[in-house]
Amino acid sequence: ENTNQFGVIALEKQLARYAAVVNMPVAFLFSVLNKKQRDSLVARNIPFLCFPDQLYLPFLGMALSNRFIKQVNIATNQMSPSAQVLFLYFLYRAGSRKIIKKEAAEALHMTQMSVSRASEQLLAMNLITQESFGKAVQMQAVASGKELYMLAEDYLINPVQRALTVEKSDLLSNYPVAGETALSLHSMLSQPAIPVVAIGKGDSVLSSLTPVDEQWDVGRNVTRVEVWKYDPAIFSAEQTVDPVSLAASLKGSSDERIQGELEDYLEGLKW
């Protein structure tokens, strides 16, 4: 039962009906209970079980604890940054093979807890399956290549957290190009006047860059930096950000040229 949907009085009435039908003691089984809900049930003498710590069966006995499982609500409208990174790992590297969470955590330089949270979101979105294998948990994508991308497209987030214009610096030479610059390398789109590169939000190089106002500092040699919610270098190839992240970053552009070239680029990918 879901205690958020039924009040304790309604549960009491249901209990009486159930007990009358089966002619034997009846108890409710809950997956989650908080202390207030637990105490309300006990006060009205309503038998219940909530494993592993809460058991109240007046006709047999009781075992109550002050440890309560916290109910976690998993967002299913869009991916978190860590879930998107894990999804890209399946898309570009794991394919259709089964992987354990430890393997993904090591490959992506994430904690196993972060991978677990990310996998729960992808599981809720029906993009992966999970099964226990001994003490490990195996994950597997429900599809591969373009089919997997199409299933996930509506859940993808724009990886760009913010953008800034900075003085051109040799410090940026090893970072992948992004935005219109990246798309221009894979399409007929002309390169933008100001080159674009992508940097992860936690990168220490950001504190070494000199921001400028391109509207006032006319003629200065500048670069536009996209600060990403995850490391854009993880799946970059040929010095450009990965195709799916690029598409997600440009999806909101109102420029029809960009959308047209982006569509052609994705259509021509060898998934």
Side-chain angles (χ1 to χ4, degrees):
E1 294 288 350
N2 185 337
T3 54
N4 294 321
Q5 294 179 358
F6 301 98
V8 67
I9 295 177
L11 289 173
E12 189 175 36
K13 292 179 180 179
Q14 285 189 31
L15 182 69
R17 289 197 298 268
Y18 296 157
V21 171
V22 300
N23 196 28
M24 65 177 64
V26 176
F28 287 104
L29 176 63
F30 298 101
S31 58
V32 177
L33 275 179
N34 59 39
K35 187 177 186 302
K36 182 178 179 180
Q37 293 166 336
R38 190 276 308 272
D39 292 347
S40 294
L41 292 169
V42 172
R44 300 192 74 87
N45 206 36
I46 299 176
F48 65 87
L49 301 97
C50 184
F51 296 115
D53 300 312
Q54 311 294 335
L55 182 150
Y56 179 68
L57 302 173
F59 42 84
L60 291 178
M62 66 178 182
L64 303 176
S65 168
N66 284 323
R67 293 190 304 170
F68 296 91
I69 299 173
K70 185 176 181 181
Q71 188 169 14
V72 178
N73 294 320
I74 301 174
T76 56
N77 59 326
Q78 63 177 17
M79 295 183 192
S80 66
S82 58
Q84 188 148 313
V85 170
L86 182 58
F87 165 74
L88 294 174
Y89 181 71
F90 281 107
L91 184 66
Y92 293 129
R93 297 183 187 173
S96 58
R97 68 183 178 89
K98 295 180 179 179
I99 60 171
I100 61 174
K101 293 182 178 181
K102 182 179 179 181
E103 175 188 341
E106 291 176 350
L108 299 172
H109 304 292
M110 294 168 60
T111 65
Q112 289 195 50
M113 181 176 292
S114 294
V115 170
S116 291
R117 290 173 179 168
S119 68
E120 290 301 321
Q121 191 175 42
L122 297 183
L123 182 66
M125 293 173 173
N126 297 314
L127 296 174
I128 66 169
T129 59
Q130 290 188 156
E131 62 178 342
S132 296
F133 184 74
K135 293 184 178 180
V137 176
Q138 290 184 328
M139 306 176 292
Q140 185 177 29
V142 299
S144 60
K146 187 175 182 179
E147 182 182 356
L148 181 60
Y149 168 69
M150 296 298 291
L151 291 173
E153 186 177 12
D154 291 339
Y155 300 120
L156 296 171
I157 59 170
N158 184 344
V160 182
Q161 186 176 71
R162 60 190 175 96
L164 63 154
T165 303
V166 301
E167 289 184 355
K168 185 177 180 180
S169 170
D170 290 339
L171 295 173
L172 300 175
S173 59
N174 291 324
Y175 289 90
V177 297
E180 293 180 44
T181 302
L183 183 58
S184 70
L185 298 177
H186 300 287
S187 69
M188 300 297 291
L189 188 72
S190 300
Q191 289 201 16
I194 300 176
V196 185
V197 300
I199 298 177
K201 65 178 182 179
D203 200 308
S204 60
V205 77
L206 289 169
S207 61
S208 303
L209 302 176
T210 304
V212 299
D213 187 331
E214 59 188 81
Q215 293 183 335
W216 288 90
D217 296 299
V218 180
R220 296 183 69 170
N221 208 351
V222 298
T223 302
R224 183 166 291 116
V225 173
E226 291 182 349
V227 182
W228 279 29
K229 299 168 187 174
Y230 52 84
D231 185 359
I234 298 177
F235 304 106
S236 65
E238 299 178 357
Q239 202 58 24
T240 67
V241 297
D242 73 274
V244 170
S245 293
L246 175 62
S249 72
L250 293 172
K251 191 174 181 179
S253 174
S254 58
D255 192 322
E256 293 182 0
R257 296 177 306 111
I258 292 176
Q259 293 304 321
E261 294 296 340
L262 184 60
E263 185 177 338
D264 290 344
Y265 170 47
L266 292 175
E267 191 64 33
L269 279 178
K270 295 181 179 180
W271 298 91

Short mmCIF file of all heavy atoms in Angstrom, two decimals, residues 146 261-271:
data_model
loop_
_atom_site.label_atom_id
_atom_site.label_comp_id
_atom_site.label_asym_id
_atom_site.label_seq_id
_atom_site.Cartn_x
_atom_site.Cartn_y
_atom_site.Cartn_z
N LYS A 146 22.11 3.95 -32.83
CA LYS A 146 21.11 4.96 -33.11
C LYS A 146 19.79 4.65 -32.41
O LYS A 146 19.08 5.57 -31.96
CB LYS A 146 20.87 5.08 -34.62
CG LYS A 146 19.96 6.24 -34.99
CD LYS A 146 19.84 6.41 -36.50
CE LYS A 146 18.96 7.61 -36.84
NZ LYS A 146 18.85 7.81 -38.31
N GLU A 261 22.07 21.64 -40.44
CA GLU A 261 23.38 20.98 -40.52
C GLU A 261 23.53 19.94 -39.42
O GLU A 261 24.13 18.88 -39.63
CB GLU A 261 24.50 22.03 -40.41
CG GLU A 261 24.58 22.99 -41.59
CD GLU A 261 24.91 22.30 -42.91
OE1 GLU A 261 25.45 21.17 -42.88
OE2 GLU A 261 24.63 22.89 -43.97
N LEU A 262 22.97 20.24 -38.25
CA LEU A 262 23.03 19.29 -37.14
C LEU A 262 22.26 18.01 -37.47
O LEU A 262 22.73 16.89 -37.22
CB LEU A 262 22.47 19.94 -35.88
CG LEU A 262 22.54 19.12 -34.58
CD1 LEU A 262 23.98 18.79 -34.23
CD2 LEU A 262 21.89 19.89 -33.44
N GLU A 263 21.11 18.17 -38.08
CA GLU A 263 20.31 17.01 -38.48
C GLU A 263 21.05 16.16 -39.50
O GLU A 263 21.07 14.92 -39.40
CB GLU A 263 18.97 17.50 -39.04
CG GLU A 263 18.01 16.38 -39.39
CD GLU A 263 16.67 16.90 -39.88
OE1 GLU A 263 16.33 18.06 -39.58
OE2 GLU A 263 15.97 16.14 -40.59
N ASP A 264 21.69 16.81 -40.47
CA ASP A 264 22.44 16.07 -41.49
C ASP A 264 23.64 15.35 -40.86
O ASP A 264 23.96 14.22 -41.24
CB ASP A 264 22.93 17.03 -42.58
CG ASP A 264 21.79 17.55 -43.45
OD1 ASP A 264 20.70 16.96 -43.42
OD2 ASP A 264 22.00 18.58 -44.14
N TYR A 265 24.28 16.02 -39.92
CA TYR A 265 25.44 15.43 -39.25
C TYR A 265 25.06 14.16 -38.50
O TYR A 265 25.71 13.11 -38.63
CB TYR A 265 26.06 16.46 -38.30
CG TYR A 265 27.11 15.93 -37.37
CD1 TYR A 265 28.15 15.11 -37.83
CD2 TYR A 265 27.10 16.27 -36.01
CE1 TYR A 265 29.13 14.64 -36.97
CE2 TYR A 265 28.07 15.81 -35.15
CZ TYR A 265 29.09 14.99 -35.63
OH TYR A 265 30.05 14.52 -34.77
N LEU A 266 23.98 14.23 -37.73
CA LEU A 266 23.54 13.06 -36.96
C LEU A 266 23.07 11.94 -37.88
O LEU A 266 23.28 10.76 -37.60
CB LEU A 266 22.42 13.46 -36.00
CG LEU A 266 22.81 14.39 -34.85
CD1 LEU A 266 21.59 14.80 -34.05
CD2 LEU A 266 23.85 13.75 -33.94
N GLU A 267 22.42 12.32 -38.97
CA GLU A 267 21.93 11.32 -39.92
C GLU A 267 23.08 10.56 -40.57
O GLU A 267 22.95 9.37 -40.89
CB GLU A 267 21.07 12.00 -41.01
CG GLU A 267 20.30 11.04 -41.89
CD GLU A 267 19.26 10.23 -41.15
OE1 GLU A 267 18.68 10.75 -40.17
OE2 GLU A 267 19.02 9.07 -41.55
N GLY A 268 24.20 11.23 -40.74
CA GLY A 268 25.33 10.60 -41.41
C GLY A 268 26.29 9.87 -40.49
O GLY A 268 27.27 9.28 -40.93
N LEU A 269 26.00 9.89 -39.18
CA LEU A 269 26.89 9.22 -38.23
C LEU A 269 26.88 7.72 -38.41
O LEU A 269 25.85 7.12 -38.72
CB LEU A 269 26.48 9.55 -36.79
CG LEU A 269 26.94 10.88 -36.20
CD1 LEU A 269 26.38 11.02 -34.78
CD2 LEU A 269 28.46 10.98 -36.16
N LYS A 270 28.02 7.12 -38.20
CA LYS A 270 28.12 5.66 -38.20
C LYS A 270 27.98 5.20 -36.76
O LYS A 270 28.96 5.14 -36.00
CB LYS A 270 29.46 5.20 -38.80
CG LYS A 270 29.61 5.54 -40.27
CD LYS A 270 30.92 5.04 -40.82
CE LYS A 270 31.05 5.36 -42.31
NZ LYS A 270 32.36 4.88 -42.87
N TRP A 271 26.77 4.91 -36.37
CA TRP A 271 26.49 4.54 -34.97
C TRP A 271 27.09 3.18 -34.64
O TRP A 271 27.36 2.86 -33.52
CB TRP A 271 24.99 4.52 -34.72
CG TRP A 271 24.36 5.88 -34.92
CD1 TRP A 271 23.82 6.39 -36.07
CD2 TRP A 271 24.22 6.92 -33.93
NE1 TRP A 271 23.35 7.67 -35.87
CE2 TRP A 271 23.57 8.02 -34.56
CE3 TRP A 271 24.55 7.01 -32.60
CZ2 TRP A 271 23.27 9.19 -33.88
CZ3 TRP A 271 24.25 8.19 -31.92
CH2 TRP A 271 23.62 9.27 -32.57
#
